[in-house]
Amino acid sequence: MRFFRHSTCFAGLLLLSGCASVVTELPEIDLPALDRERVSQETEAFAEIDRLHARLWDVAYPVLRENAALCPKTRADIGVVTFSLDSYPDDMKAAAKREFNAKDYPTVRRVIKGSPADKAGIKVGDTLVSPESKPMSAIGKDMRTLLKDGAQAEIRISRGKESFNVQIVPQNICDYAIKLSMRSTVNAYASGRSMTMTSGMMNFTKSDDELALIVAHELAHNTMAHVRKIVGNLILSGFATRYTRPFETEADYVGLYYLVRAGYDAEATSGLWARMALMGPRSVGRAKTHPTYPDRALRLAATRKEIAAKQLAGEPLVPNFKTPKP
Ligand SMILES: [Zn+2]
């Protein structure tokens, strides 16, 4: 250990006369123990990724499924998530192999509860095999071709040494990818094609209803083509920010409909923005790109009222669109 510390110092400070270092006796550690500790911490870290990934998919899937009728882009889906070593950066591959049994080719990482795949008996670790005998990803071209018309499909499953066919009826879901980003900042974003939640956001949300609200908000950004519109505004005016505020309000408004349609409790999300405010009082009354928290809280409350009235009247739960002026 001492050698390395000194060599770093040499590399940087060779030309200087004195080489500053720590002045206390530091505890020594042995290398095998260091390795065991590394593996143990990696195991814990991967278990945490798995917990968040499972929660995100369990919460987000109903939002994608129950809003298929309102999404401009949908796909026939069986309710599995596949992954492979390619999904990980090089320095995480060894641990992904050890902890998640990730392979060089796509295998099933998650089966959504109650989904067509779940009903057909597909299990974590299975390989979905294409008609050309290649492992398929759940959202790849082979799978999309196989499930194209949404009718019953036959999928070959490889499980250990066994291999067999299952009959499966896919369901339509909104065709946007769900992504988890292991970052502690409380954030979520939409790209037009995907929705990403940070681990910070996931841990900030106290209930599945709250997490679903964030997913639904990001889904609304995608379905309402906000990213394209913001980029368009930016090109036209050079200022994107002053145009993003109405889009945020719209994503809140449309997203709340998505949330309720997916079976979540809108009332249970009412405290979310007030809790955001607890993170920094200065952000309460001013916001550059987003509406202020009080603004969002009040408009969401008004939207909850609007939705509740429609539910009471047995009206379809669809957002109100502006009627074109005559
Ligand atoms: Zn937003």
Side-chain angles (χ1 to χ4, degrees):
M1 291 304 287
R2 196 157 281 173
F3 170 76
F4 287 115
R5 202 168 289 134
H6 280 186
S7 69
T8 313
C9 189
F10 279 141
L13 301 169
L14 197 60
L15 298 177
L16 297 180
S17 55
C19 197
S21 184
V22 297
V23 294
T24 50
E25 284 289 344
L26 299 180
E28 295 289 339
I29 52 174
D30 74 274
L31 289 179
L34 183 64
D35 208 43
R36 283 196 301 277
E37 181 64 17
R38 179 184 58 76
V39 170
S40 153
Q41 290 191 13
E42 276 180 356
T43 301
E44 294 291 319
F46 271 77
E48 176 68 358
I49 295 176
D50 202 50
R51 183 184 73 80
L52 293 174
H53 189 264
R55 178 174 175 229
L56 179 56
W57 272 94
D58 284 346
V59 169
Y61 200 79
V63 178
L64 296 182
R65 186 185 59 217
E66 299 307 323
N67 291 294
L70 302 185
C71 277
K73 261 176 57 181
T74 59
R75 70 165 185 267
D77 188 81
I78 62 169
V80 295
V81 185
T82 53
F83 79 135
S84 69
L85 279 174
D86 278 352
S87 326
Y88 298 91
D90 284 349
D91 57 349
M92 282 175 73
K93 280 187 170 47
K97 206 169 183 169
R98 187 185 66 230
E99 301 296 336
F100 287 169
N101 201 16
K103 308 258 197 253
D104 296 322
Y105 51 86
T107 57
V108 173
R109 177 173 178 191
R110 205 162 298 294
V111 180
I112 309 295
K113 231 189 194 158
S115 67
D118 190 22
K119 288 176 192 151
I122 294 178
K123 297 204 171 345
V124 170
D126 285 353
T127 307
L128 313 172
V129 184
S130 78
E132 289 78 36
S133 302
K134 283 189 305 190
M136 296 189 287
S137 111
I139 50 170
K141 211 171 144 217
D142 287 338
M143 192 66 143
R144 284 172 191 260
T145 310
L146 203 64
L147 302 178
K148 204 160 209 168
D149 55 4
Q152 179 165 310
E154 190 172 69
I155 299 179
R156 186 140 199 88
I157 303 294
S158 166
R159 179 181 300 163
K161 285 180 183 138
E162 284 176 67
S163 139
F164 52 92
N165 290 344
V166 294
Q167 302 294 324
I168 203 158
V169 183
Q171 59 196 2
N172 251 12
I173 67 165
C174 298
D175 190 12
Y176 302 96
I178 307 274
K179 293 180 179 174
L180 169 66
S181 164
M182 294 302 285
R183 282 175 208 279
S184 58
T185 48
V186 178
N187 207 352
Y189 34 93
S191 72
R193 300 167 65 153
S194 64
M195 288 94 76
T196 302
M197 309 290 132
T198 63
S199 49
M201 176 61 92
M202 293 201 56
N203 288 326
F204 180 77
T205 57
K206 282 198 170 153
S207 64
D208 289 350
D209 298 297
E210 286 189 356
L211 175 58
L213 181 71
I214 308 294
V215 172
H217 171 97
E218 299 307 327
L219 176 63
H221 275 313
N222 284 336
T223 60
M224 305 304 286
H226 288 165
V227 177
R228 183 167 53 74
K229 289 173 185 171
I230 289 165
V231 171
N233 285 344
L234 181 66
I235 290 167
L236 282 177
S237 69
F239 294 100
T241 50
R242 90 172 100 131
Y243 294 103
T244 60
R245 237 172 277 174
F247 292 140
E248 288 307 324
T249 304
E250 185 170 76
D252 278 348
Y253 174 67
V254 174
L256 202 65
Y257 273 88
Y258 292 167
L259 177 87
V260 175
R261 288 170 61 94
Y264 289 102
D265 180 2
E267 277 308 320
T269 65
S270 59
L272 187 71
W273 293 109
R275 243 178 51 243
M276 287 272 185
L278 297 181
M279 289 196 296
R282 286 183 82 188
S283 65
V284 170
R286 58 172 206 194
K288 272 189 188 146
T289 59
H290 282 56
T292 62
Y293 297 147
D295 183 295
R296 297 183 87 159
L298 287 189
R299 285 182 207 268
L300 279 164
T303 310
R304 284 199 299 278
K305 244 175 135 178
E306 180 181 303
I307 292 173
K310 285 183 186 176
Q311 283 176 314
L312 208 62
E315 287 170 24
L317 297 185
V318 288
N320 296 337
F321 279 77
K322 285 180 185 171
T323 41
K325 291 192 179 76

